[in-house]
Amino acid sequence: MKKLIGIALSVLLFGCSDSVSNSRGVYLLLDTSGTYTKELDKAQQIINYLLGTLDPGDSLVVARIDSGSFSEKDIIAKATFDSRPSVANAQKRAFAGKVDQFMKSIKGSAYTDISGGLLQAVEFMNEAGVGKKYALIFSDLKEELPEGFVRDFDLTLDGFSVIALNVTKLRSDNVNPQEYLSRLEDWKVKVRQGGGEWRVINDLDREDILNIS
Amino acid sequence: MKINDFVTIIPGQPTLSLILLILLLMVGLYMGRNTVHSVINIVMRIVYASLRFAARSLGLTEQKLRARNKEVLLELGKEQVERQLEREFFRVNAVVEKDLGGYPALQRVIADQIARIEEDYKESGQMAPPPPDWVKAVEAVGRLHLETKGNGVAVEVLKNIHETSIKQQKQALEEYRSSMSTRHKLLQTTLPYWRKLTNTVDEVGESMKALTERARDIDHKMSRYEEIRGGTEKAERTLRASSITQFFVSLFVVAIAAGGAVINFNLIALPMSEMVGAASRIGAYKISDIAALVIIFVEISMGLYLMEALRFTKLFPIIGAMNDRLRHRMIWITFAILFTLACMESSLAFMRDQIAADLSALRLSLSQANGVAAAPSVNSWIPMVGQMIMGFVLPFALTFVAIPLESLVHGARTLFGDVLVWLIRMLAFTLRLLGNIFRHLGTLLTQVYDMFIFVPLWLEGILRERPRKAQQPASQAVQTVDSKTDFWVEEVAK
C-alpha cells in the first residue's frame, strides 16, 4: 500500500522530470595468483548469487587480477542486463556459461596487481554511468607487482562501495597476525581516502550480507 | 554606575538610602497611579474586545457553517429519498403495467367464467314435477272399485291399472335418476371454472396486496421527504446518524477495494516490465510499476464512468444529464474498455507466471551449479489459471468501488463539516475564555499596582476621611466595578 501511495505521489511530483539512473553496477575482481586459485569455487558461488539478485538494467563485470590488471583484456565477462526480464534472464545464463568456462581453464598468475584492477573497475563503472557502484575484490589483498610497475596513485572512489571478499590468511599472517591486520588497514585507508566505503566479508555462506541494494 | 552606587543615595547609609528610594518610588508610582490604571484598563479592554470580537466572528462563522452543513445534509437526504421514491414509483409502474395492464383481459376471462358457471347452474336446475292429475285418476279408480264390488271385469281393469301404475312409477323414477345424474355432471363441469375463478381472483388479490404495500412504503417515504423538506430537527438528526454510519461502512468497503487494487498491482507490475522495461525510473519507482498503477487507475475511472452512466451513482452530473442514446453509447464504450483491460490483465497474469517460472528456472540452474539440491517443483498450472482469473475479475470488481466511493464522499462532507464546526466552536470558546482572563487580569494588575503604593493610598484615605468627618464631603471619588465590562472605574460620588 505504501508503495502504491509512493508511486502515485512520485507520478504527481516527478511526472514531467527526466528519469534518474538507479541501476546498480557490480565489478568483481578475482585474484588468480598461484596461491589463491583454490578459492575461486567460492567466487563462482558469489557470481551466481549476483546473477540471481541483479535486476534488469543493472551491470555486472567479472575481471581477473593478474600481473598487470589495468587492462580490458582481464575482463572475463560483462553485461548490462536488458530492461526486459526475459532477455535479462537469457543474458544471465550466457554470463554464467562464460564464467563457468573461465573457471575450468584458469591459469595462475605470478603477480597480483590489485590496485590496477581496482583502477580498471573505477574507470569502467564511471564510464557506464551506473547509479550505485560496487567493487568486489575476491582476494587475500596481498599485492605483488612485477618489477617496474608503479601503483602509487590515489584512487578516486566517490560513490563506490568497495567490498573485500574472502580475505584469506597467508602462512606469514599466521606467524605474525599484525601483517594481516595491517594489510586490511592499509586498504581501508586507501579506499576511504579515495572517498569510498570499505567493508570486509569473509563469511561467504551468507551471501545476503553483501547487501547490494 | 553600579547598582549599589545607585541604591546608596546617602553615602554610608545604605538602609536609609533604600528606605528613601522605596519612598520615592512609592510617591512616583502614586503620582502616576491614574495614568497607569488607565493604561492597564485600556490595554486589557482592547485585548478583551479584540478576543471577544474574534470569538463572536467565529460564532457567526460556526452558525453559518452549521446552517450550510444542515442545508447540504438535507439536500443529500432529499436526493436520496427522491431516488428511493423514484425507484418505488418505477416498481409500482411495473406492477401496474404487468398486472393491472392486463385487467381488461382478466375481467373478460372472469366474466366468461361467470357466464359459463351461470349457464351450467341454470341447466342443472331441478325439473318441475309433473302436474298431479294422477291423484284424480286414483280417486276415480277408487270410486269404481267401491261401485263395482265383485265385478270380474272391473277387477281385471283395476289389475291392469295397478300394473300400469307400477310400470309408470318405475319409468318416472328412472327418468328422475337420469335427470339428477345429468345435473350432477353439469355441476361437476363447473368445478374447474370455480377453481380457475378463485385462482384468478387470488392473483388479483396478491397484486393488489403488493400494490398496497408499495403504496404504504411510498407513504412512509413521502412523510420522510416532507420532514426533510420541512428541515425538522428529527430529520436532520436521522440523516446525520445515517450519514456517519454510511461513511464508516463505505470506508471499510473502500479499504477492501484498496486491498484488491494492491493485489491487482502486484499481479501486473512484473509483466509490465516486459512491455515498458524495468530499468527506467521516475523518482525511486520503476516505470513499469507506474504503468501498472496507471492501468489500475484507468480501470477505476472506467468503473466510475460506467456506474455513472448506469445511473447507480451521481458523482458527475454531466454524465447523468446526457440523453439516453449518448448514455447508452457511453455504457458500451466504458464496458468495452473495461473488458479489454480485463483481458489484457489476464494475459499479463499469464505472462507474469511465465517470467516467474523463467526466473525460478535460472535461479535453480545457478543454485545447482553451486551444488544446492533443487526443490521438487509443484504443479504450476493451478496458480497460473488462478492468476488469470483474478486478472480478469479484479477490474470488474474494482468497478463497483464507485458506489461506496460516492457514499464516502457524501459522508465525509457531513463528518468533516461537523468536525470543522466543533473546531470553530472550541476556538471561539478558547478566545472567549482568554478574553475573560484578560478582562480580570486588568483588574488584578490594578490591584497589584495599588498593593505597591498602599502607604500613600492609606494616607490619602485618612486625609479624605478627616474633612468628611468635619463636614459632609461635597464629593468623593469611589472605585466601583463597571457592571458591563467588569473593569474598575473611578466614579465621583456626590
Side-chain angles (χ1 to χ4, degrees):
Chain A
M1 193 68 189
K2 273 184 187 172
K3 193 179 177 186
L4 280 183
I5 295 165
I7 290 173
L9 283 175
S10 73
V11 168
L12 288 174
L13 293 173
F14 305 108
C16 300
S17 67
D18 294 332
S19 55
V20 180
S21 173
N22 276 307
S23 59
R24 297 171 289 179
V26 181
Y27 200 106
L28 177 62
L29 290 161
L30 300 178
D31 190 342
T32 57
S33 64
T35 52
Y36 202 78
T37 43
K38 291 178 278 178
E39 302 287 331
L40 289 177
D41 283 347
K42 291 179 190 170
Q44 197 168 6
Q45 184 188 327
I46 293 291
I47 293 165
N48 287 341
Y49 168 75
L50 289 171
L51 285 171
T53 313
L54 292 174
D55 290 330
D58 292 343
S59 301
L60 177 64
V61 182
V62 176
R64 68 169 163 241
I65 298 170
D66 57 8
S67 302
S69 310
F70 185 55
S71 164
E72 280 84 5
K73 286 176 187 170
D74 283 324
I75 292 174
I76 300 156
K78 64 176 177 181
T80 296
F81 301 119
D82 195 85
S83 62
R84 287 166 298 164
S86 57
V87 181
N89 286 350
Q91 283 175 302
K92 285 175 183 177
R93 282 194 182 91
F95 197 102
K98 272 186 193 173
V99 171
D100 199 39
Q101 216 171 357
F102 168 75
M103 294 293 177
K104 281 173 189 163
S105 60
I106 194 162
K107 284 175 189 168
S109 67
Y111 298 95
T112 318
D113 175 18
I114 301 172
S115 300
L118 195 56
L119 186 63
Q120 177 63 36
V122 171
E123 295 283 309
F124 183 89
M125 299 286 249
N126 286 338
E127 204 179 309
V130 289
K132 294 173 186 169
K133 301 161 196 169
Y134 297 90
L136 275 52
I137 307 169
F138 196 82
S139 166
D140 53 16
L141 297 181
K142 175 94 173 168
E143 190 161 54
E144 288 171 318
L145 296 171
E147 210 177 318
F149 275 57
V150 182
R151 292 291 184 259
D152 56 349
F153 49 78
D154 291 330
L155 290 163
T156 307
L157 294 165
D158 291 324
F160 273 85
S161 288
V162 181
I163 306 169
L165 300 166
N166 193 40
V167 186
T168 51
K169 281 93 182 173
L170 305 170
R171 192 172 293 168
S172 57
D173 295 337
N174 210 2
V175 176
N176 180 11
Q178 188 56 45
E179 266 187 37
Y180 175 77
L181 296 172
S182 303
R183 206 161 64 237
L184 284 179
E185 189 61 27
D186 288 349
W187 276 105
K188 184 179 168 182
V189 170
K190 198 172 183 180
V191 168
R192 287 200 175 157
Q193 274 178 352
E197 190 191 314
W198 172 258
R199 271 194 289 159
V200 179
I201 298 169
N202 283 328
D203 180 13
L204 296 183
D205 290 335
R206 286 177 57 216
E207 298 108 332
D208 55 323
I209 58 170
L210 272 174
N211 194 22
I212 293 172
S213 57
Chain B
M1 200 179 184
K2 290 178 182 174
I3 294 174
N4 280 343
D5 298 338
F6 181 74
V7 169
T8 315
I9 299 168
I10 304 162
Q13 298 287 336
T15 317
L16 202 63
S17 300
L18 191 69
I19 291 166
L20 196 65
L21 190 73
I22 289 169
L23 281 173
L24 282 172
L25 201 69
M26 267 188 187
V27 170
L29 286 173
Y30 176 73
M31 285 171 80
R33 180 177 175 253
N34 285 343
T35 315
V36 172
H37 275 204
S38 299
V39 167
I40 290 172
N41 275 340
I42 287 166
V43 168
M44 291 305 157
R45 263 184 208 172
I46 288 170
V47 173
Y48 168 71
S50 308
L51 289 172
R52 222 182 145 76
F53 178 71
R56 202 169 295 159
S57 301
L58 281 174
L60 285 172
T61 313
E62 184 212 328
Q63 276 175 14
K64 275 184 192 169
L65 191 64
R66 204 188 301 161
R68 176 76 189 134
N69 282 352
K70 186 178 175 181
E71 204 178 305
V72 169
L73 191 68
L74 291 175
E75 202 56 44
L76 281 174
K78 213 161 82 178
E79 195 183 312
Q80 203 177 353
V81 178
E82 271 171 9
R83 223 188 277 188
Q84 285 171 356
L85 275 170
E86 195 182 329
R87 204 180 55 229
E88 285 296 337
F89 279 121
F90 184 76
R91 281 176 186 162
V92 166
N93 185 44
V95 170
V96 169
E97 269 184 12
K98 189 184 154 200
D99 297 331
L100 298 185
Y103 266 32
L106 202 68
Q107 194 188 4
R108 214 163 38 243
V109 170
I110 292 171
D112 284 353
Q113 282 167 358
I114 290 171
R116 274 169 186 252
I117 289 165
E118 215 169 56
E119 275 171 23
D120 289 347
Y121 179 72
K122 273 179 190 165
E123 278 177 26
S124 67
Q126 207 168 4
M127 300 284 283
D133 291 342
W134 57 274
V135 177
K136 286 175 188 172
V138 168
E139 278 174 2
V141 169
R143 277 199 300 273
L144 189 68
H145 173 67
L146 291 172
E147 285 167 7
T148 57
K149 219 170 189 178
N151 191 341
V153 177
V155 168
E156 196 60 33
V157 168
L158 285 171
K159 224 182 242 180
N160 285 340
I161 288 169
H162 179 244
E163 280 170 8
T164 310
S165 296
I166 287 167
K167 215 182 271 178
Q168 281 291 319
Q169 188 203 356
K170 276 182 182 172
Q171 201 178 344
L173 201 63
E174 270 172 21
E175 273 175 14
Y176 179 73
R177 279 176 181 163
S178 156
S179 97
M180 281 299 282
S181 165
T182 312
R183 282 203 299 275
H184 277 149
K185 275 177 189 166
L186 282 169
L187 284 171
Q188 194 86 24
T189 53
T190 60
L191 207 61
Y193 291 115
W194 274 113
R195 278 189 194 137
K196 218 171 172 181
L197 189 64
T198 312
N199 286 342
T200 316
V201 171
D202 280 351
E203 272 174 29
V204 173
E206 286 294 321
S207 301
M208 291 310 287
K209 204 174 155 189
L211 212 57
T212 316
E213 275 172 16
R214 291 252 172 267
R216 205 177 297 134
D217 271 4
I218 289 171
D219 273 352
H220 179 68
K221 283 188 175 89
M222 274 308 286
S223 59
R224 210 175 138 204
Y225 184 68
E226 270 163 20
E227 267 180 11
I228 293 170
R229 271 178 67 86
T232 60
E233 282 288 317
K234 189 189 162 195
E236 192 193 345
R237 229 175 18 248
T238 316
L239 284 174
R240 180 157 282 120
S242 154
S243 176
I244 290 167
T245 312
Q246 266 191 7
F247 173 78
F248 285 108
V249 172
S250 318
L251 192 68
F252 178 66
V253 179
V254 168
I256 292 171
V262 171
I263 293 171
N264 203 0
F265 171 79
N266 284 316
L267 206 61
I268 61 171
L270 179 65
M272 279 308 286
S273 63
E274 200 65 32
M275 290 164 76
V276 295
S280 307
R281 286 167 187 260
I282 291 179
Y285 299 101
K286 292 177 189 171
I287 292 271
S288 56
D289 286 354
I290 293 166
L293 193 71
V294 168
I295 286 181
I296 291 168
F297 282 160
V298 169
E299 282 167 5
I300 293 172
S301 309
M302 286 303 135
L304 285 175
Y305 297 148
L306 184 63
M307 288 291 132
E308 198 68 31
L310 286 168
R311 290 193 171 152
F312 286 165
T313 56
K314 285 185 177 176
L315 285 168
F316 305 101
I318 197 160
I319 298 176
M322 279 177 183
N323 65 47
D324 281 355
R325 200 176 156 201
L326 209 58
R327 211 165 45 79
H328 285 138
R329 266 188 206 169
M330 189 160 178
I331 290 170
W332 284 111
I333 289 167
T334 48
F335 180 76
I337 294 172
L338 264 174
F339 185 77
T340 312
L341 287 170
C343 291
M344 195 184 87
E345 274 207 17
S346 191
S347 55
L348 282 174
F350 174 75
M351 197 194 280
R352 182 186 188 276
D353 194 71
Q354 299 291 305
I355 295 168
D358 188 31
L359 196 64
S360 162
L362 173 72
R363 285 188 179 148
L364 188 69
S365 68
L366 293 173
S367 63
Q368 276 172 340
N370 288 340
V372 178
S377 63
V378 290
N379 198 347
S380 66
W381 70 268
I382 297 172
M384 187 187 77
V385 171
Q387 283 176 28
M388 286 179 74
I389 291 170
M390 266 168 67
F392 189 79
V393 170
L394 278 171
F396 291 108
L398 284 176
T399 302
F400 291 96
V401 83
I403 297 167
L405 191 70
E406 189 189 33
S407 300
L408 188 75
V409 170
H410 290 160
R413 168 66 186 85
T414 311
L415 191 71
F416 290 125
D418 286 352
V419 169
L420 202 61
V421 165
W422 183 80
L423 283 175
I424 290 173
R425 194 183 299 157
M426 282 295 115
L427 195 62
F429 169 76
T430 312
L431 290 178
R432 262 202 302 275
L433 189 73
L434 279 173
N436 280 328
I437 287 170
F438 274 102
R439 188 174 66 171
H440 293 295
L441 193 67
T443 316
L444 183 73
L445 283 176
T446 52
Q447 294 296 312
V448 169
Y449 186 89
D450 285 355
M451 216 167 72
F452 287 112
I453 52 167
F454 72 96
V455 179
L457 283 176
W458 174 63
L459 288 172
E460 185 196 338
I462 290 168
L463 288 172
R464 274 183 200 279
E465 282 297 312
R466 198 174 286 169
R468 194 194 288 169
K469 278 179 185 171
Q471 57 181 43
Q472 281 299 318
S475 64
Q476 190 183 359
V478 182
Q479 272 201 333
T480 53
V481 176
D482 185 2
S483 60
K484 282 182 186 169
T485 60
D486 268 6
F487 281 99
W488 284 94
V489 180
E490 207 155 271
E491 286 179 354
V492 177
K494 287 187 178 175

